[in-house]
């Protein structure tokens, strides 16, 4: 139910280029009609229109798509080869420039911002709590239980020893419960079969690894091992623990009640083989365990305190059973399991009869460690103008604490926790309360979110989009995808989704850019994503450096290819106008093809290597990324500027050729074509921000190809004429007149209105 059909993603830049191509097509039709209209629609004018459409077809840059797609392959290769983000895979090479325009980043928590590696942090017994710095006390309590002689203590130390013994027994009971109540299986890995069998016999610590479906349980069992009570063996019917003294305690597993999302708890009934004692142990979430354990006044408060520290809290309880009590329970339990009707309900009822007035032993707190460099990465993304949303399945307190720890919410920001709402009226009141807050991060649960989206979708999204950060907890996978879809529809901005597990796939596929983190939850997210990274911190460089460069380069490249096509079309239009609107081609087929391929392709394509600032500067000043969010590198304004440049240069070259070569009209092709090639090469040099050795090679190679091909082009160009001094100085004059004013304008613009990055490069 959580899967969705993957869609083929098209980049926003591609859509913008398509729009510009439609404008160029309209221009082609208009110019053709104007040419025929100026002939007063004489003769078979409809054929003339077709001739002009073919003649001016260069206005539509057919090579644009090829250049852009080849550029994207180069960007993808650069991302894969970047040594600072090793292991990054580009699975969709059609959208690398999308990375340069992300406004909303939606991220999962577990395994993405955190490592999905649990570490035991706190043991709380009600009257006393043990943290990481006092675990040696727990160890000494456990040790004292097994080493103290059973006889009565001396009279003078009676009180103190008794108290200490009581505390020791309480700690021991709690640790023993944690060591027994789980689904962890120790396995022994060794090189040879004989060694493995020997390792299992000896319970060797170096060979042991714990296997469980949940990292929480492994963390608990590893902790009990560190304080002295080690789980050394387990099969379907028995469990073995090793004491600090090295003795093996054997337990028979009588019943096990596994954890489910409905019950939110797990239980186990064990019999200790040496004493015959039967004990029912249970651990679970505080919300369900509060009604099961005996009354106490500290459980709720301490659970809240631990959750606010970002710990996952488990409540551990026990109940001692007599043989008769257990036999009675087992008979009813077997009977319930054999019933045909309402079996699950009857089984649950029987188990609940046992879950009454249980003795509360302790609270355990485990913490999920943050990924490396999450804080600086999130800070970089925020400074770049992105809004970060965290979508997680965790409980509200844990999600809020992780958001604070990861600096998703800054210290001086208020947090508005959206109260649980179930109907329209409550949602309306709560939205009004939220509306009164300013510059405030929002924390909302999945259930409340669903109610708000059902009745007040527009209002809620409007308020949420203004928040600097949003945390959605208890989110289902389908809800994650729905949030991404709503953001795209309501804001029209680009979204990027980051996740590491199968539950993030629908969100990753829905976003404009999906990034998968290769974590402990398999490779579903990584394989479904457009870009796959090994760590969350690599996201900063992927967006700030590669995304920014890809977008700016693609924008520059597409506009230059349009300029190249418009230049030659303008010259054709001037030529036809001068010669009484005749539909006669200025250049023959070979020259046209050579112009867009071997003569200008290398320098134009070398724009994919251009960069305005070094990658270190782009990472140091993420504010540079903000400029791209407005879409300024490729807009109607920049397109119009390039169109005007093309018309100016095309007109100057053509009119200059006609003016200076009146007496040698047959050489008009040689003059204008040579000037055109030189102008294009100089314009590439004018556009480039940072020179690369391949760019220089491209310029020289193109010029060499043109000079070398003049030998074969004697049909179109007089080889003797182009070696004269007259030809050379006049071509030089035309080229300078077409390019020099633009160089002067660029110099003045950089002097009086410099772009933001120029201040950092100087």
């Amino acid at each position: 139910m959580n899967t969705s059909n993957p869609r083929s993603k098209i980049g926003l830049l591609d859509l913008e280029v398509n729009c510009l191509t439609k404008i160029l097509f309209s221009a082609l039709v208009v110019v053709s009609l104007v040419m025929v209209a100026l002939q007063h629609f004489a003769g078979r004018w409809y054929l003339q229109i077709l001739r002009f459409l073919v003649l001016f077809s260069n206005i539509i840059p057919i090579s644009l798509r090829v250049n852009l797609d080849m550029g994207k392959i180069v960007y993808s290769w650069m991302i894969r080869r970047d040594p600072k983000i090793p292991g990054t895979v580009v699975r969709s090479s059609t959208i690398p420039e999308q990375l340069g325009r992300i406004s909303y980043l939606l991220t999962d928590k577990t395994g993405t911002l955190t490592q999905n590696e649990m570490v035991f942090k706190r043991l709380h017994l009600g009257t006393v709590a043990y943290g990481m710095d006092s675990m040696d006390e727990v160890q000494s309590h456990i040790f004292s239980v097994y080493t103290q002689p059973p006889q009565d203590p001396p009279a003078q130390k009676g009180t103190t020893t008794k108290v200490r013994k009581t505390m020791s027994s309480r700690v021991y009971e709690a640790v023993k419960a944690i060591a027994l109540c789980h689904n962890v299986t120790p396995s022994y890995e060794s090189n040879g079969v004989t060694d493995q069998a020997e390792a299992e016999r000896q319970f060797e610590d170096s060979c042991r690894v714990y296997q469980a479906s949940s990292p929480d349980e492994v963390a608990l069992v590893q902790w009990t091992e560190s304080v002295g009570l080690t789980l050394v063996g387990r099969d379907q019917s028995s469990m073995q623990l090793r004491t600090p003294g090295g003795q093996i305690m054997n337990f028979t597993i009588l019943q096990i009640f596994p954890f489910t999302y409905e019950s939110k708890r797990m239980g186990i009934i064990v019999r200790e083989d040496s004493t015959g004692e039967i004990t029912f142990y249970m651990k679970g979430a505080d919300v369900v365990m509060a009604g099961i354990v005996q009354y106490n006044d500290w459980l709720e408060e301490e659970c809240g305190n631990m959750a606010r520290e970002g710990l996952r809290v488990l409540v551990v309880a026990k109940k001692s059973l007599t043989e008769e009590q257990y036999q009675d329970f087992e008979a009813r339990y077997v009977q319930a399991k054999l019933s045909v009707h309402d079996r699950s309900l009857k089984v649950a009822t029987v188990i609940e009869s046992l879950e009454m007035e249980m003795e509360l032993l302790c609270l355990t707190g485990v913490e999920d460690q943050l990924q490396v460099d999450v804080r600086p990465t999130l800070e970089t993304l925020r400074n770049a103008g992105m809004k970060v949303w965290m979508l997680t399945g965790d409980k509200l307190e844990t999600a809020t604490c992780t958001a604070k720890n990861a600096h998703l919410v800054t210290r001086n920001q208020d947090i508005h926790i959206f109260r649980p709402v179930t109907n329209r009226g409550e949602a309306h009141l709560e939205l009004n309360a939220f509306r009164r807050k300013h510059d405030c991060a929002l924390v909302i649960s999945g259930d409340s979110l669903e109610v708000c989206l059902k009745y007040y979708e527009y209002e809620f999204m409007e308020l949420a989009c203004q928040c600097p950060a949003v945390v959605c907890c208890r989110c289902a996978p389908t809800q994650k995808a729905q949030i991404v879809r709503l953001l795209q529809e309501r804001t029209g901005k680009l979204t990027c989704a980051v996740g590491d597990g199968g539950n993030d796939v629908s969100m990753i596929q829905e976003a404009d850019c999906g990034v998968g983190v290769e974590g402990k939850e398999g490779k579903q997210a990584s394989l479904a994503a457009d870009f796959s990274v090994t760590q969350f911190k690599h996201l900063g460089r992927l967006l700030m450096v590669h995304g920014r460069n890809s977008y700016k380069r693609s924008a520059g490249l597409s506009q230059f290819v349009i300029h190249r096509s418009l230049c030659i079309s303008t010259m054709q239009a001037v030529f036809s106008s001068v010669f009484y609107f005749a539909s006669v081609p200025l250049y023959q087929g070979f020259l046209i093809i050579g112009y867009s391929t071997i003569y200008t392709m290398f320098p134009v394509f070398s724009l994919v290597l251009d960069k305005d600032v070094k990658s270190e500067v782009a990472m140091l000043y993420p504010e540079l990324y903000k400029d791209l969010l407005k879409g300024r590198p490729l807009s109607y304004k920049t397109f119009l500027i390039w169109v005007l440049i093309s018309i100016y240069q095309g007109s100057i070259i053509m009119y200059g050729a006609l003016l200076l070569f009146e007496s040698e009209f047959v050489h008009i092709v040689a003059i204008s074509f040579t000037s055109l090639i030189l102008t294009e090469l100089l314009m590439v040099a004018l556009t480039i921000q940072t020179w690369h050795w391949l760019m220089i090679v491209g310029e020289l190679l193109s010029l060499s190809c043109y000079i070398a091909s003049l030998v074969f082009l004697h049909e179109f160009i007089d080889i003797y004429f182009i070696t004269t001094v007259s030809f050379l100085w006049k071509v030089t004059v035309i080229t300078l007149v077409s390019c020099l004013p633009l160089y002067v304008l660029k110099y003045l613009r950089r002097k009086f209105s410099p772009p933001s990055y120029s201040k950092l490069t100087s």
Side-chain angles (χ1 to χ4, degrees), residues 120-121 123 129-145 164 167-168 171 175 223-228 244:
F120 192 94
K121 288 280 185 181
L123 178 73
Y130 297 98
M132 290 298 286
D133 51 352
S134 53
M135 288 305 169
D136 51 340
E137 287 185 42
V138 178
Q139 202 167 358
S140 64
H141 282 311
I142 298 294
F143 193 74
S144 68
V145 167
R164 198 177 75 240
M167 182 49 72
S168 295
V171 171
V175 174
W223 175 76
T224 62
E225 180 184 351
S226 71
V227 295

Side-chain angles (χ1 to χ4, degrees), residues 188-480:
Y188 294 85
E189 295 177 353
S190 208
N191 300 329
V193 179
T194 51
D195 292 350
Q196 190 171 341
E198 181 64 28
E200 283 196 32
R201 264 204 307 280
Q202 300 297 324
F203 295 136
E204 280 184 25
D205 291 349
S206 58
C207 305
R208 187 190 313 108
V209 289
Y210 293 117
Q211 294 177 338
S213 57
S214 164
D216 301 51
E217 293 207 310
V218 175
L220 293 172
V221 173
Q222 283 173 338
W223 175 76
T224 62
E225 180 184 351
S226 71
V227 295
L229 213 54
T230 310
L231 175 73
V232 290
R234 179 181 184 144
D235 54 34
Q236 282 188 316
S237 59
S238 66
M239 221 184 297
Q240 289 82 39
L241 297 182
R242 186 173 62 207
T243 65
Q247 300 96 359
I248 301 295
M249 298 165 65
N250 288 299
F251 296 87
T252 304
I253 300 171
L254 300 174
Q255 298 290 348
I256 191 158
F257 315 115
F259 174 89
T260 64
Y261 284 104
E262 289 78 33
S263 66
K264 294 187 175 60
R265 58 191 183 271
M266 79 147 292
I268 189 168
I269 302 177
V270 293
R271 179 192 278 122
E272 191 172 344
D273 290 5
S274 58
T275 60
E277 284 180 12
I278 299 174
T279 315
F280 173 38
Y281 292 107
M282 178 167 272
K283 69 175 181 198
D286 54 307
V287 284
V288 293
M289 293 298 285
I292 291 172
V293 297
Q294 292 167 347
Y295 172 77
N296 60 79
D297 53 4
W298 58 271
L299 176 65
E300 192 177 336
E301 185 185 348
E302 292 304 333
C303 283
N305 291 342
M306 286 165 79
R308 278 187 284 276
E309 289 177 43
L311 304 179
R312 287 192 179 186
V313 186
L314 279 176
V315 180
V316 184
K318 78 161 196 176
K319 187 177 190 179
S320 296
L321 302 174
T322 61
E323 189 67 43
E324 293 77 27
Q325 280 176 319
Y326 174 69
Q327 293 299 338
D328 172 53
F329 164 77
E330 189 182 31
R332 287 185 293 118
Y333 186 61
V334 171
Q335 191 65 40
K337 286 209 290 188
L338 291 174
S339 61
V340 178
H341 301 292
D342 300 328
R343 182 185 303 155
S344 54
L345 183 68
K346 288 177 181 173
V347 167
T349 308
V350 173
I351 297 170
E352 279 173 21
S353 68
L354 207 59
E355 299 171 343
M356 285 157 63
E357 291 295 300
M358 293 187 75
E359 181 190 342
L360 175 58
L361 294 176
C362 65
L363 305 182
T364 64
V366 293
E367 185 182 40
D368 196 352
Q369 302 290 292
L370 281 178
Q371 290 272 13
V372 183
D373 289 340
V374 157
R375 289 168 188 158
T377 303
L378 285 172
E379 211 160 299
T380 300
L381 297 173
R382 259 204 321 274
N383 291 338
M386 276 177 239
K387 291 186 176 178
V388 186
W389 290 35
M390 186 171 87
L391 314 177
T392 175
D394 269 353
K395 66 187 290 184
L396 191 134
E397 293 88 352
T398 314
T400 309
C401 190
T402 305
K404 286 178 185 172
N405 285 350
H407 293 182
L408 183 71
V409 179
T410 54
R411 284 180 184 175
N412 54 359
Q413 263 171 4
D414 287 336
I415 296 178
H416 178 81
I417 295 175
F418 208 87
R419 285 192 304 107
V421 295
T422 52
N423 55 50
R424 186 174 192 145
E426 289 177 3
H428 181 72
L429 290 170
E430 193 56 27
L431 279 171
N432 283 344
F434 178 45
R435 190 177 273 111
R436 289 193 284 273
K437 303 279 182 79
H438 295 288
D439 191 39
C440 175
L442 172 68
V443 179
I444 186 168
S445 68
D447 297 339
S448 302
L449 178 71
E450 205 165 316
V451 174
C452 289
L453 293 178
K454 186 178 177 183
Y455 297 113
Y456 296 106
E457 185 184 296
Y458 179 79
E459 291 85 350
F460 175 78
M461 290 306 293
E462 188 182 24
L463 290 170
C465 290
Q466 291 168 5
C467 292
V470 177
V471 177
C472 298
C473 51
R474 292 284 186 228
C475 250
T478 43
Q479 262 185 324
K480 291 183 179 184

Side-chain angles (χ1 to χ4, degrees), residues 25 46 50 183 211 236 253 273 381 411 452 455 479 507 539 554 568 574 646 649 670 725 728:
F25 177 74
Y46 47 87
L50 290 174
N183 267 314
Q211 294 177 338
Q236 282 188 316
I253 300 171
D273 290 5
L381 297 173
R411 284 180 184 175
C452 289
Y455 297 113
Q479 262 185 324
M507 167 175 82
L539 200 63
S554 286
I568 200 165
V574 171
S646 308
Q649 289 185 325
V725 175
L728 293 172

Side-chain angles (χ1 to χ4, degrees), residues 60-114:
I60 298 170
I62 297 168
S63 58
L64 176 58
R65 271 261 66 94
V66 179
N67 278 289
L68 275 179
D69 288 346
M70 285 172 67
K72 289 174 182 184
I73 290 167
V74 174
Y75 309 145
S76 303
W77 181 81
M78 286 175 173
I79 292 170
R80 283 201 303 270
R81 292 296 300 271
D82 189 344
K84 292 188 177 173
I85 47 172
T88 303
V89 181
V90 180
R91 301 194 192 278
S92 176
S93 60
T94 56
I95 55 169
E97 71 281 343
Q98 293 275 82
L99 294 169
R101 306 174 73 176
I102 301 299
S103 297
Y104 288 93
L105 183 83
L106 300 104
T107 173
D108 179 39
K109 183 185 84 72
T110 310
T112 307
L113 295 180
T114 59

Side-chain angles (χ1 to χ4, degrees), residues 531-740:
F531 303 90
S532 168
V533 294
T534 52
Q535 291 180 35
F536 184 84
K537 67 173 181 176
H538 293 168
L539 200 63
R541 189 172 174 84
L542 187 68
L543 297 174
M544 299 299 117
V545 177
H546 294 288
R548 187 171 180 277
N549 285 344
S550 300
Y551 175 45
K552 292 204 81 165
R553 288 164 177 172
S554 286
L557 178 65
S558 54
Q559 289 177 130
F560 206 93
V561 173
I562 289 170
H563 158 262
R564 185 176 68 182
S565 304
L566 276 173
C567 248
I568 200 165
S569 300
T570 305
M571 290 172 69
Q572 177 65 57
V574 171
F575 178 77
S576 294
S577 305
V578 170
F579 293 101
Y580 310 106
F581 312 107
S583 52
V584 177
L586 170 60
Y587 302 126
Q588 296 304 312
F590 184 84
L591 290 179
I592 294 278
I593 292 166
Y595 171 69
S596 6
T597 53
I598 52 172
Y599 299 150
T600 59
M601 191 189 143
F602 297 118
V604 170
F605 189 67
S606 69
L607 290 172
V608 302
L609 301 169
D610 192 22
K611 58 182 176 186
D612 51 3
V613 293
K614 291 180 179 174
S615 57
E616 293 79 20
V617 176
M619 287 298 291
L620 194 60
Y621 299 99
E623 290 80 6
L624 289 170
Y625 190 89
K626 278 184 187 176
D627 294 345
L628 309 186
L629 299 179
K630 295 164 186 169
R632 283 176 181 165
L634 179 66
S635 61
Y636 289 119
K637 181 186 171 183
T638 55
F639 171 67
L640 185 63
I641 290 167
W642 277 104
V643 168
L644 294 173
I645 290 169
S646 308
I647 293 170
Y648 166 76
Q649 289 185 325
S651 305
I652 289 291
I653 293 167
M654 202 63 235
Y655 280 120
L658 292 167
L659 190 70
L660 294 175
F661 295 88
E662 272 180 35
S663 56
E664 298 139 349
F665 177 70
V666 288
H667 303 135
I668 204 96
V669 171
I671 309 318
S672 59
F673 195 72
T674 306
S675 297
L676 179 63
I677 297 293
L678 291 173
T679 298
E680 282 301 317
L681 297 182
L682 285 170
M683 281 301 290
V684 169
L686 173 72
T687 310
I688 284 166
Q689 310 277 357
T690 309
W691 282 91
H692 188 282
W693 66 270
L694 279 172
M695 295 173 178
I696 300 164
V697 169
E699 294 263 309
L700 295 173
L701 187 64
S702 292
L703 196 59
S704 308
C705 284
Y706 178 60
I707 294 165
S709 67
L710 289 174
V711 180
F712 310 105
L713 298 175
H714 51 80
E715 287 179 46
F716 315 115
I717 296 168
D718 186 347
I719 194 77
Y720 300 108
F721 166 69
I722 60 171
T723 54
T724 61
V725 175
S726 171
F727 168 82
L728 293 172
W729 81 258
K730 288 178 177 177
V731 163
T732 306
V733 166
I734 290 173
T735 308
L736 284 175
V737 172
S738 71
C739 290
L740 199 59

